[in-house]
Amino acid sequence: MESENKKSAVSDVGAWAMNIISSVGIIMANKQLMSANGYAFGFATTLTGFHFTVTALVGLVSNATGLSVSKHVPMWELLWFSVVANVSITGMNLSLMLNSVGFYQISKLSMIPVVCIMEWILHSKQYSKEVKLSVLVVVIGVGVCTVTDVKVNAKGFICACLAVLSTSLQQITIGSLQKKYSIGSFELLSRTAPIQAVSLLILGPFIDYYLNGKFITNYKLSSGAILFIILSCSLAVFCNVSQYLCIGRFSATSFQVLGHMKTICVLTLGWLLFDSELTFKNIMGMFIAVLGMVVYSWAVEAEKRSNAKTTSYTKNSLTEEEIRLLKEGVESMPLKDVELAESKE
């Protein structure tokens, strides 16, 4: 039992490490690929289509070679999920374009309470006071180190709301589908990736044209840009797999809370690699956020232990109703049967 718990803990740490490393890596690669000082590849939605195309191909090869097994999930559920996921991607891109960076960061932070509320509505999930407090600490910490100017406009606000709701719903749905159909994270990803790839490759160029006024066909590819596109797509496979893996093993709320470690890593690496400014305010915010994450991890573990004890007590003790039924059964037993039982003893 102890060895199983240790293996599970190692797997949990491995899933989080893969997600953080691949996510931070892809942000750094995309920064070089898309920034004006880099290769100015300003086609984020189409690039996401490339990501899912490579992920779908990896899933196809894995199924063909027998490394993974394709399990059945109804097509309408896969289509529904893909629509929600694509709205999330488009909404995030539009929100970043239409809003100030400060408001964009606030909208991302609002995903934690939104996920909590949606899990409560959809799955009747309850949270302890300690968990709620730790979530608040994380939100405050990340807010302090990332939010600067905050400007709001009607279009940007609508896009931000759409992005937050669809992203939260997408992450909750990943966990729900895995439990509902007893399907692994990679198996589910290999079913949804082809649909997302096709839809984003068709719609992506038009969305990108709306965002930056340029068609991808007019972009002049260089060997450096191709190299970074390949790197971005490769990291996306690990990022997508680890996202499904983390949500399947934990919950959408945990994924959001501990996922803000990526924000801290990005700020730190930006300072180390790209000469980005790192102020005392940033450092204080990072410290508060990490403290909140530590408290959250402790609160979740405490909640699990408490639930395990309650379950164990319920299983090992008779309820009043069971005692009453047992008494009634003994009293209604014929006298002959009682004497026969006594004589056998």
Side-chain angles (χ1 to χ4, degrees), residues 60-112:
L60 194 67
V61 170
S62 179
N63 289 335
T65 53
L67 291 172
S68 61
V69 181
S70 181
K71 289 189 178 179
H72 174 72
V73 179
M75 183 54 72
W76 73 267
E77 293 227 48
L78 293 174
L79 288 170
W80 157 249
F81 174 81
S82 299
V83 168
V84 172
N86 288 350
V87 168
S88 163
I89 293 161
T90 307
M92 279 296 180
N93 288 339
L94 287 170
S95 176
L96 184 58
M97 184 192 79
L98 296 170
N99 295 311
S100 65
V101 175
F103 186 74
Y104 175 74
Q105 288 295 343
I106 287 174
S107 68
K108 283 181 75 177
L109 285 173
S110 69
M111 280 182 207
I112 300 178

CSV table of all heavy atoms in Angstrom, one decimal, residues 60-112:
chain,number,residue,atom,x,y,z
A,60,LEU,N,-2.3,9.1,-33.6
A,60,LEU,CA,-2.6,8.1,-34.7
A,60,LEU,C,-1.5,7.1,-34.7
A,60,LEU,O,-1.8,5.9,-34.8
A,60,LEU,CB,-2.7,8.9,-36.0
A,60,LEU,CG,-3.2,8.1,-37.2
A,60,LEU,CD1,-4.7,7.8,-37.0
A,60,LEU,CD2,-3.0,8.9,-38.5
A,61,VAL,N,-0.2,7.5,-34.7
A,61,VAL,CA,0.9,6.6,-34.7
A,61,VAL,C,0.9,5.7,-33.4
A,61,VAL,O,1.1,4.5,-33.5
A,61,VAL,CB,2.3,7.4,-34.8
A,61,VAL,CG1,3.4,6.4,-34.5
A,61,VAL,CG2,2.4,8.1,-36.1
A,62,SER,N,0.6,6.3,-32.3
A,62,SER,CA,0.5,5.5,-31.0
A,62,SER,C,-0.6,4.4,-31.1
A,62,SER,O,-0.3,3.3,-30.7
A,62,SER,CB,0.2,6.5,-29.9
A,62,SER,OG,0.1,5.8,-28.7
A,63,ASN,N,-1.7,4.8,-31.7
A,63,ASN,CA,-2.8,3.8,-31.8
A,63,ASN,C,-2.4,2.7,-32.8
A,63,ASN,O,-2.7,1.5,-32.6
A,63,ASN,CB,-4.1,4.4,-32.2
A,63,ASN,CG,-4.7,5.3,-31.2
A,63,ASN,OD1,-4.5,5.1,-30.0
A,63,ASN,ND2,-5.5,6.3,-31.5
A,64,ALA,N,-1.8,3.1,-33.9
A,64,ALA,CA,-1.4,2.1,-35.0
A,64,ALA,C,-0.4,1.1,-34.5
A,64,ALA,O,-0.4,0.0,-34.9
A,64,ALA,CB,-0.9,2.9,-36.2
A,65,THR,N,0.5,1.6,-33.6
A,65,THR,CA,1.6,0.7,-33.1
A,65,THR,C,1.2,0.0,-31.9
A,65,THR,O,2.0,-0.8,-31.4
A,65,THR,CB,2.9,1.6,-32.8
A,65,THR,OG1,2.5,2.6,-32.0
A,65,THR,CG2,3.5,2.1,-34.1
A,66,GLY,N,0.0,0.2,-31.4
A,66,GLY,CA,-0.4,-0.5,-30.2
A,66,GLY,C,0.0,0.0,-28.9
A,66,GLY,O,-0.2,-0.6,-27.8
A,67,LEU,N,0.7,1.2,-28.9
A,67,LEU,CA,1.1,1.8,-27.6
A,67,LEU,C,0.0,2.4,-26.8
A,67,LEU,O,0.0,2.5,-25.6
A,67,LEU,CB,2.1,2.9,-27.9
A,67,LEU,CG,3.5,2.5,-28.5
A,67,LEU,CD1,4.3,3.7,-28.9
A,67,LEU,CD2,4.3,1.7,-27.5
A,68,SER,N,-1.1,2.7,-27.5
A,68,SER,CA,-2.3,3.1,-26.8
A,68,SER,C,-3.5,2.5,-27.5
A,68,SER,O,-3.4,2.1,-28.7
A,68,SER,CB,-2.4,4.7,-26.8
A,68,SER,OG,-2.5,5.2,-28.1
A,69,VAL,N,-4.7,2.5,-26.8
A,69,VAL,CA,-5.9,1.9,-27.4
A,69,VAL,C,-6.9,3.0,-27.6
A,69,VAL,O,-7.2,3.8,-26.7
A,69,VAL,CB,-6.4,0.8,-26.5
A,69,VAL,CG1,-7.7,0.2,-27.1
A,69,VAL,CG2,-5.4,-0.3,-26.2
A,70,SER,N,-7.6,3.0,-28.8
A,70,SER,CA,-8.6,4.0,-29.0
A,70,SER,C,-9.9,3.5,-28.4
A,70,SER,O,-10.4,2.5,-28.7
A,70,SER,CB,-8.8,4.2,-30.5
A,70,SER,OG,-9.8,5.2,-30.8
A,71,LYS,N,-10.5,4.3,-27.5
A,71,LYS,CA,-11.7,3.9,-26.8
A,71,LYS,C,-12.9,4.8,-27.3
A,71,LYS,O,-12.7,5.9,-27.8
A,71,LYS,CB,-11.6,4.2,-25.3
A,71,LYS,CG,-10.7,3.2,-24.6
A,71,LYS,CD,-10.8,3.3,-23.1
A,71,LYS,CE,-9.9,2.2,-22.4
A,71,LYS,NZ,-9.9,2.3,-21.0
A,72,HIS,N,-14.1,4.2,-27.2
A,72,HIS,CA,-15.2,4.9,-27.8
A,72,HIS,C,-15.7,6.0,-26.9
A,72,HIS,O,-15.9,5.9,-25.7
A,72,HIS,CB,-16.4,3.9,-28.0
A,72,HIS,CG,-17.7,4.5,-28.5
A,72,HIS,ND1,-17.8,5.0,-29.8
A,72,HIS,CD2,-18.8,4.8,-27.8
A,72,HIS,CE1,-19.0,5.5,-29.9
A,72,HIS,NE2,-19.7,5.4,-28.7
A,73,VAL,N,-15.9,7.2,-27.6
A,73,VAL,CA,-16.6,8.3,-27.0
A,73,VAL,C,-17.6,8.8,-28.0
A,73,VAL,O,-17.2,9.0,-29.2
A,73,VAL,CB,-15.6,9.4,-26.6
A,73,VAL,CG1,-16.3,10.6,-26.0
A,73,VAL,CG2,-14.5,8.9,-25.6
A,74,PRO,N,-18.8,9.0,-27.7
A,74,PRO,CA,-19.8,9.5,-28.7
A,74,PRO,C,-19.4,10.7,-29.4
A,74,PRO,O,-18.8,11.6,-28.8
A,74,PRO,CB,-21.1,9.8,-27.8
A,74,PRO,CG,-20.9,8.9,-26.6
A,74,PRO,CD,-19.4,8.9,-26.3
A,75,MET,N,-19.6,10.7,-30.7
A,75,MET,CA,-19.1,11.8,-31.6
A,75,MET,C,-19.7,13.2,-31.2
A,75,MET,O,-19.0,14.2,-31.2
A,75,MET,CB,-19.5,11.5,-33.0
A,75,MET,CG,-19.0,12.6,-34.0
A,75,MET,SD,-17.2,12.9,-34.0
A,75,MET,CE,-16.6,11.4,-34.7
A,76,TRP,N,-21.0,13.2,-30.7
A,76,TRP,CA,-21.6,14.5,-30.3
A,76,TRP,C,-20.8,15.1,-29.1
A,76,TRP,O,-20.7,16.3,-29.0
A,76,TRP,CB,-23.1,14.3,-30.0
A,76,TRP,CG,-23.4,13.6,-28.7
A,76,TRP,CD1,-23.6,12.3,-28.6
A,76,TRP,CD2,-23.5,14.2,-27.4
A,76,TRP,NE1,-23.9,12.0,-27.2
A,76,TRP,CE2,-23.9,13.2,-26.5
A,76,TRP,CE3,-23.4,15.5,-27.0
A,76,TRP,CZ2,-24.1,13.4,-25.2
A,76,TRP,CZ3,-23.6,15.8,-25.6
A,76,TRP,CH2,-23.9,14.7,-24.7
A,77,GLU,N,-20.3,14.2,-28.2
A,77,GLU,CA,-19.6,14.7,-27.1
A,77,GLU,C,-18.2,15.3,-27.5
A,77,GLU,O,-17.7,16.3,-27.0
A,77,GLU,CB,-19.4,13.6,-26.0
A,77,GLU,CG,-20.7,13.2,-25.4
A,77,GLU,CD,-20.6,13.1,-23.9
A,77,GLU,OE1,-20.1,14.0,-23.2
A,77,GLU,OE2,-21.0,12.1,-23.3
A,78,LEU,N,-17.6,14.6,-28.5
A,78,LEU,CA,-16.3,15.1,-29.0
A,78,LEU,C,-16.4,16.4,-29.7
A,78,LEU,O,-15.6,17.3,-29.6
A,78,LEU,CB,-15.7,14.0,-29.9
A,78,LEU,CG,-15.3,12.7,-29.3
A,78,LEU,CD1,-14.8,11.7,-30.4
A,78,LEU,CD2,-14.2,12.9,-28.3
A,79,LEU,N,-17.5,16.5,-30.5
A,79,LEU,CA,-17.8,17.8,-31.2
A,79,LEU,C,-18.1,18.9,-30.3
A,79,LEU,O,-17.6,20.0,-30.4
A,79,LEU,CB,-19.0,17.6,-32.2
A,79,LEU,CG,-18.7,16.7,-33.4
A,79,LEU,CD1,-20.0,16.4,-34.2
A,79,LEU,CD2,-17.7,17.4,-34.4
A,80,TRP,N,-18.9,18.6,-29.2
A,80,TRP,CA,-19.3,19.6,-28.2
A,80,TRP,C,-18.0,20.1,-27.5
A,80,TRP,O,-17.8,21.3,-27.4
A,80,TRP,CB,-20.2,19.0,-27.2
A,80,TRP,CG,-20.3,19.7,-25.9
A,80,TRP,CD1,-19.8,19.2,-24.7
A,80,TRP,CD2,-20.7,21.0,-25.6
A,80,TRP,NE1,-20.0,20.1,-23.7
A,80,TRP,CE2,-20.5,21.3,-24.2
A,80,TRP,CE3,-21.3,22.1,-26.4
A,80,TRP,CZ2,-20.9,22.5,-23.6
A,80,TRP,CZ3,-21.6,23.3,-25.7
A,80,TRP,CH2,-21.4,23.4,-24.4
A,81,PHE,N,-17.1,19.2,-27.1
A,81,PHE,CA,-15.9,19.5,-26.5
A,81,PHE,C,-15.0,20.4,-27.4
A,81,PHE,O,-14.4,21.4,-26.9
A,81,PHE,CB,-15.1,18.3,-26.0
A,81,PHE,CG,-13.8,18.6,-25.4
A,81,PHE,CD1,-13.6,19.0,-24.1
A,81,PHE,CD2,-12.6,18.5,-26.2
A,81,PHE,CE1,-12.4,19.3,-23.6
A,81,PHE,CE2,-11.4,18.8,-25.7
A,81,PHE,CZ,-11.3,19.2,-24.4
A,82,SER,N,-14.9,20.0,-28.6
A,82,SER,CA,-14.0,20.7,-29.6
A,82,SER,C,-14.5,22.1,-29.8
A,82,SER,O,-13.7,23.1,-29.9
A,82,SER,CB,-14.0,20.0,-30.9
A,82,SER,OG,-13.4,18.7,-30.7
A,83,VAL,N,-15.8,22.3,-29.9
A,83,VAL,CA,-16.4,23.7,-30.0
A,83,VAL,C,-16.0,24.5,-28.8
A,83,VAL,O,-15.6,25.7,-29.0
A,83,VAL,CB,-17.9,23.6,-30.2
A,83,VAL,CG1,-18.6,25.0,-30.1
A,83,VAL,CG2,-18.3,23.0,-31.6
A,84,VAL,N,-16.2,24.0,-27.6
A,84,VAL,CA,-15.9,24.7,-26.4
A,84,VAL,C,-14.4,25.1,-26.4
A,84,VAL,O,-14.0,26.2,-26.0
A,84,VAL,CB,-16.3,23.9,-25.1
A,84,VAL,CG1,-15.8,24.6,-23.9
A,84,VAL,CG2,-17.8,23.7,-25.1
A,85,ALA,N,-13.6,24.1,-26.7
A,85,ALA,CA,-12.1,24.3,-26.7
A,85,ALA,C,-11.7,25.4,-27.7
A,85,ALA,O,-10.8,26.2,-27.4
A,85,ALA,CB,-11.4,23.0,-27.0
A,86,ASN,N,-12.3,25.3,-28.9
A,86,ASN,CA,-11.9,26.3,-29.9
A,86,ASN,C,-12.4,27.7,-29.6
A,86,ASN,O,-11.8,28.7,-29.9
A,86,ASN,CB,-12.5,25.9,-31.3
A,86,ASN,CG,-11.7,24.7,-31.9
A,86,ASN,OD1,-10.7,24.3,-31.3
A,86,ASN,ND2,-12.3,24.1,-32.9
A,87,VAL,N,-13.6,27.8,-29.0
A,87,VAL,CA,-14.1,29.1,-28.5
A,87,VAL,C,-13.2,29.7,-27.4
A,87,VAL,O,-12.9,30.9,-27.4
A,87,VAL,CB,-15.5,29.0,-27.9
A,87,VAL,CG1,-16.0,30.2,-27.2
A,87,VAL,CG2,-16.5,28.7,-29.0
A,88,SER,N,-12.6,28.8,-26.6
A,88,SER,CA,-11.7,29.2,-25.5
A,88,SER,C,-10.4,29.8,-26.2
A,88,SER,O,-10.0,30.9,-25.8
A,88,SER,CB,-11.3,28.0,-24.7
A,88,SER,OG,-10.1,28.2,-24.0
A,89,ILE,N,-9.9,29.1,-27.2
A,89,ILE,CA,-8.6,29.6,-27.9
A,89,ILE,C,-8.9,30.9,-28.5
A,89,ILE,O,-8.1,31.9,-28.4
A,89,ILE,CB,-8.1,28.5,-28.9
A,89,ILE,CG1,-7.7,27.3,-28.1
A,89,ILE,CG2,-7.0,29.1,-29.7
A,89,ILE,CD1,-7.6,26.0,-29.0
A,90,THR,N,-10.0,31.0,-29.3
A,90,THR,CA,-10.3,32.2,-30.0
A,90,THR,C,-10.6,33.4,-29.1
A,90,THR,O,-10.1,34.5,-29.3
A,90,THR,CB,-11.5,32.0,-31.0
A,90,THR,OG1,-11.3,30.9,-31.8
A,90,THR,CG2,-11.8,33.2,-31.8
A,91,GLY,N,-11.4,33.0,-28.0
A,91,GLY,CA,-11.7,34.1,-27.0
A,91,GLY,C,-10.5,34.6,-26.3
A,91,GLY,O,-10.4,35.8,-26.1
A,92,MET,N,-9.5,33.8,-26.0
A,92,MET,CA,-8.3,34.2,-25.3
A,92,MET,C,-7.5,35.1,-26.3
A,92,MET,O,-7.0,36.2,-25.8
A,92,MET,CB,-7.4,33.0,-24.9
A,92,MET,CG,-7.9,32.4,-23.7
A,92,MET,SD,-7.7,33.5,-22.3
A,92,MET,CE,-8.2,32.5,-20.9
A,93,ASN,N,-7.4,34.8,-27.5
A,93,ASN,CA,-6.7,35.6,-28.5
A,93,ASN,C,-7.3,37.0,-28.7
A,93,ASN,O,-6.7,38.0,-28.8
A,93,ASN,CB,-6.5,34.9,-29.8
A,93,ASN,CG,-5.6,33.7,-29.8
A,93,ASN,OD1,-4.7,33.6,-28.9
A,93,ASN,ND2,-5.7,32.8,-30.7
A,94,LEU,N,-8.7,37.0,-28.8
A,94,LEU,CA,-9.4,38.2,-29.0
A,94,LEU,C,-9.3,39.1,-27.7
A,94,LEU,O,-9.2,40.3,-27.8
A,94,LEU,CB,-10.9,37.9,-29.3
A,94,LEU,CG,-11.2,37.4,-30.7
A,94,LEU,CD1,-12.6,36.9,-30.8
A,94,LEU,CD2,-10.9,38.5,-31.8
A,95,SER,N,-9.4,38.4,-26.5
A,95,SER,CA,-9.3,39.1,-25.3
A,95,SER,C,-7.9,39.8,-25.1
A,95,SER,O,-7.8,41.0,-24.7
A,95,SER,CB,-9.5,38.2,-24.1
A,95,SER,OG,-9.3,38.8,-22.9
A,96,LEU,N,-6.9,39.1,-25.6
A,96,LEU,CA,-5.5,39.7,-25.5
A,96,LEU,C,-5.4,40.9,-26.4
A,96,LEU,O,-4.7,41.9,-26.1
A,96,LEU,CB,-4.5,38.6,-25.8
A,96,LEU,CG,-3.0,39.0,-25.7
A,96,LEU,CD1,-2.7,39.5,-24.3
A,96,LEU,CD2,-2.1,37.9,-26.1
A,97,MET,N,-6.0,40.8,-27.6
A,97,MET,CA,-6.0,41.9,-28.6
A,97,MET,C,-6.8,43.1,-28.2
A,97,MET,O,-6.3,44.2,-28.3
A,97,MET,CB,-6.5,41.4,-30.0
A,97,MET,CG,-6.3,42.4,-31.1
A,97,MET,SD,-7.2,42.0,-32.6
A,97,MET,CE,-8.9,42.4,-32.2
A,98,LEU,N,-8.0,42.9,-27.7
A,98,LEU,CA,-8.9,44.0,-27.4
A,98,LEU,C,-8.7,44.7,-26.0
A,98,LEU,O,-9.1,45.8,-25.8
A,98,LEU,CB,-10.3,43.5,-27.5
A,98,LEU,CG,-10.8,43.0,-28.9
A,98,LEU,CD1,-12.1,42.3,-28.9
A,98,LEU,CD2,-10.8,44.2,-29.9
A,99,ASN,N,-8.1,43.9,-25.1
A,99,ASN,CA,-8.0,44.5,-23.7
A,99,ASN,C,-6.5,44.8,-23.4
A,99,ASN,O,-5.6,44.4,-24.1
A,99,ASN,CB,-8.4,43.4,-22.7
A,99,ASN,CG,-9.9,43.1,-22.8
A,99,ASN,OD1,-10.7,44.0,-22.8
A,99,ASN,ND2,-10.3,41.8,-22.8
A,100,SER,N,-6.4,45.6,-22.3
A,100,SER,CA,-5.0,45.9,-21.9
A,100,SER,C,-4.5,44.6,-21.2
A,100,SER,O,-5.2,43.7,-20.9
A,100,SER,CB,-5.1,47.0,-20.8
A,100,SER,OG,-5.8,46.6,-19.7
A,101,VAL,N,-3.1,44.6,-21.1
A,101,VAL,CA,-2.5,43.4,-20.5
A,101,VAL,C,-3.0,43.2,-19.1
A,101,VAL,O,-3.2,42.0,-18.7
A,101,VAL,CB,-0.9,43.6,-20.5
A,101,VAL,CG1,-0.3,42.4,-19.8
A,101,VAL,CG2,-0.5,43.7,-22.0
A,102,GLY,N,-3.2,44.3,-18.4
A,102,GLY,CA,-3.7,44.2,-17.0
A,102,GLY,C,-5.0,43.5,-16.9
A,102,GLY,O,-5.2,42.6,-16.0
A,103,PHE,N,-6.0,43.9,-17.7
A,103,PHE,CA,-7.3,43.3,-17.7
A,103,PHE,C,-7.3,41.9,-18.2
A,103,PHE,O,-8.0,41.0,-17.7
A,103,PHE,CB,-8.3,44.1,-18.5
A,103,PHE,CG,-9.7,43.6,-18.4
A,103,PHE,CD1,-10.4,43.9,-17.2
A,103,PHE,CD2,-10.3,42.9,-19.4
A,103,PHE,CE1,-11.7,43.4,-17.1
A,103,PHE,CE2,-11.6,42.4,-19.2
A,103,PHE,CZ,-12.3,42.7,-18.1
A,104,TYR,N,-6.4,41.6,-19.1
A,104,TYR,CA,-6.2,40.2,-19.6
A,104,TYR,C,-5.8,39.3,-18.5
A,104,TYR,O,-6.3,38.2,-18.3
A,104,TYR,CB,-5.2,40.2,-20.8
A,104,TYR,CG,-4.9,38.8,-21.3
A,104,TYR,CD1,-5.8,38.1,-22.1
A,104,TYR,CD2,-3.7,38.2,-21.0
A,104,TYR,CE1,-5.5,36.8,-22.6
A,104,TYR,CE2,-3.4,36.9,-21.5
A,104,TYR,CZ,-4.3,36.3,-22.3
A,104,TYR,OH,-4.0,35.0,-22.7
A,105,GLN,N,-4.8,39.8,-17.7
A,105,GLN,CA,-4.3,39.0,-16.6
A,105,GLN,C,-5.4,38.8,-15.5
A,105,GLN,O,-5.5,37.7,-14.9
A,105,GLN,CB,-3.1,39.7,-15.9
A,105,GLN,CG,-1.8,39.6,-16.7
A,105,GLN,CD,-1.3,38.2,-16.9
A,105,GLN,OE1,-1.7,37.3,-16.2
A,105,GLN,NE2,-0.5,38.0,-17.9
A,106,ILE,N,-6.2,39.8,-15.3
A,106,ILE,CA,-7.3,39.7,-14.3
A,106,ILE,C,-8.3,38.7,-14.8
A,106,ILE,O,-8.8,37.9,-14.0
A,106,ILE,CB,-8.0,41.1,-14.1
A,106,ILE,CG1,-7.1,42.0,-13.2
A,106,ILE,CG2,-9.4,40.9,-13.4
A,106,ILE,CD1,-7.6,43.4,-13.1
A,107,SER,N,-8.6,38.7,-16.1
A,107,SER,CA,-9.6,37.7,-16.6
A,107,SER,C,-9.0,36.3,-16.4
A,107,SER,O,-9.8,35.3,-16.1
A,107,SER,CB,-9.9,38.0,-18.1
A,107,SER,OG,-8.8,37.7,-18.9
A,108,LYS,N,-7.7,36.1,-16.6
A,108,LYS,CA,-7.1,34.7,-16.4
A,108,LYS,C,-7.2,34.3,-15.0
A,108,LYS,O,-7.5,33.2,-14.6
A,108,LYS,CB,-5.7,34.8,-16.9
A,108,LYS,CG,-5.5,34.7,-18.4
A,108,LYS,CD,-4.1,34.7,-18.8
A,108,LYS,CE,-3.4,33.3,-18.6
A,108,LYS,NZ,-2.0,33.3,-19.1
A,109,LEU,N,-7.0,35.3,-14.1
A,109,LEU,CA,-7.0,35.0,-12.6
A,109,LEU,C,-8.5,34.6,-12.2
A,109,LEU,O,-8.7,33.8,-11.3
A,109,LEU,CB,-6.6,36.2,-11.8
A,109,LEU,CG,-5.1,36.5,-11.8
A,109,LEU,CD1,-4.8,37.8,-11.1
A,109,LEU,CD2,-4.3,35.3,-11.1
A,110,SER,N,-9.5,35.2,-12.9
A,110,SER,CA,-10.9,34.9,-12.5
A,110,SER,C,-11.3,33.5,-12.8
A,110,SER,O,-12.3,33.0,-12.4
A,110,SER,CB,-11.8,35.9,-13.2
A,110,SER,OG,-11.8,35.7,-14.6
A,111,MET,N,-10.4,32.8,-13.6
A,111,MET,CA,-10.8,31.4,-13.9
A,111,MET,C,-10.9,30.5,-12.7
A,111,MET,O,-11.6,29.6,-12.7
A,111,MET,CB,-9.8,30.8,-14.9
A,111,MET,CG,-10.0,31.2,-16.3
A,111,MET,SD,-8.8,30.5,-17.4
A,111,MET,CE,-8.8,31.7,-18.7
A,112,ILE,N,-10.0,30.8,-11.7
A,112,ILE,CA,-10.0,29.9,-10.5
A,112,ILE,C,-11.4,30.0,-9.8
A,112,ILE,O,-12.0,28.9,-9.6
A,112,ILE,CB,-8.9,30.3,-9.5
A,112,ILE,CG1,-7.5,30.2,-10.2
A,112,ILE,CG2,-8.9,29.4,-8.3
A,112,ILE,CD1,-6.4,30.6,-9.3
